[in-house]
Amino acid sequence: MAKGAEAMLADLVAANRILGREGILDAYGHVSARDAGDAGDGFFLSRARAPQLVEEADLLEFSLAGEPLAGSAQPLYLERYIHAAIYAARPDVGAVCHSHTPSILPFSVSLTPLRSVIHSARFIGTGVPVWDLAREFPGEWSPLVRSLRYGQSLAAALGDGGIVLLRGHGAVVVGRGPQEVVGRCIAMDRNARVQETAHRLGEYTPLHERECEDPRDPGPPLARDNREWEYFMRRAGLL
Ligand SMILES: [Zn+2]
């Protein structure tokens, strides 16, 4: 296996552990990744397991149709089609996280839209889409994104952005790789808490549009080192 792919798998295991440790994912939710040089072929995702417990041996390779390449007798995440459809639609995406993070759930059902309110969550932007399965598929009452066509509809709602909310369900965050998606998920959680508190205090000022990231050209991260990754690796017991 290429060195880049090995590093990607190690980062994907760490992303699972960190997102579990930080309360972004609990028993449910999942994070996937693919090799940057491999866009178009497939992606890696754990078998159905709580993310904080995931080890490298749990990772399976999936096709862009959401099925395991080598076949598997093990239970799989029912919502793996979220990942498959987004990778198929977005060559720029190297990692995807689907979460049911408690802080984000109010914004999936409220008329108050999620906005970037803190500098570290500039990727959220000014117009976060909220995808509603019942509205997109009238008469189909599925609590889960358990088919490729549901996943494709969700990927279309995401568009070229970094985040989409699922009404009464959770969020999907994408990034160029596992480290970026972990940073974004943690920033998403902080942003949601700050916005909810600020909303209770009264009027508040979200980031201006030009302070937010351009999803087509997000640029380099704010820090020029790996302080954040090292910090969360240590907190997850991986360093
Ligand atoms: Zn879900």
Side-chain angles (χ1 to χ4, degrees), residues 13 16 25 46 48 53 72 76 89 92 104 110 113 122 125 134 140 152 161 168 174 192 208 225-226 229 237:
V13 171
N16 273 274
L25 305 175
S46 173
L53 306 179
S72 174
L76 304 174
D92 60 310
I104 208 74
S110 170
R122 295 172 304 132
E140 298 183 29
Q152 288 164 339
V174 303
H208 298 291
D225 50 50
N226 68 344
W229 185 249

Side-chain angles (χ1 to χ4, degrees), residues 110-173:
S110 170
L111 293 181
T112 298
L114 181 71
R115 296 278 304 266
S116 288
V117 294
I118 56 174
H119 76 296
S120 55
R122 295 172 304 132
F123 83 99
I124 289 175
T126 57
V128 177
V130 179
W131 183 74
D132 184 341
L133 193 152
R135 194 178 61 214
E136 300 298 327
F137 298 92
E140 298 183 29
W141 304 105
S142 172
L144 298 174
V145 187
R146 57 178 155 204
S147 74
L148 191 57
R149 77 191 177 96
Y150 290 165
Q152 288 164 339
S153 169
L154 177 59
L158 171 69
D160 61 6
I163 180 169
V164 58
L165 301 185
L166 289 69
R167 181 186 55 80
H169 182 157
V172 172
V173 170

Side-chain angles (χ1 to χ4, degrees), residues 191-223:
N191 189 95
R193 293 178 204 229
V194 170
Q195 188 178 352
E196 201 259 336
T197 304
H199 190 75
R200 273 191 279 122
L201 289 172
E203 289 192 27
Y204 61 94
T205 308
L207 295 195
H208 298 291
E209 191 166 356
R210 292 185 65 180
E211 291 177 302
C212 296
E213 274 178 14
D214 178 348
R216 287 152 306 219
D217 183 21
L222 286 183

Side-chain angles (χ1 to χ4, degrees), residues 28-30 79 82 98-100 143-145 166 169-170:
Y28 300 103
H30 20 85
E79 297 191 293
I82 294 173
H98 168 49
S99 74
H100 313 128
L144 298 174
V145 187
L166 289 69
H169 182 157

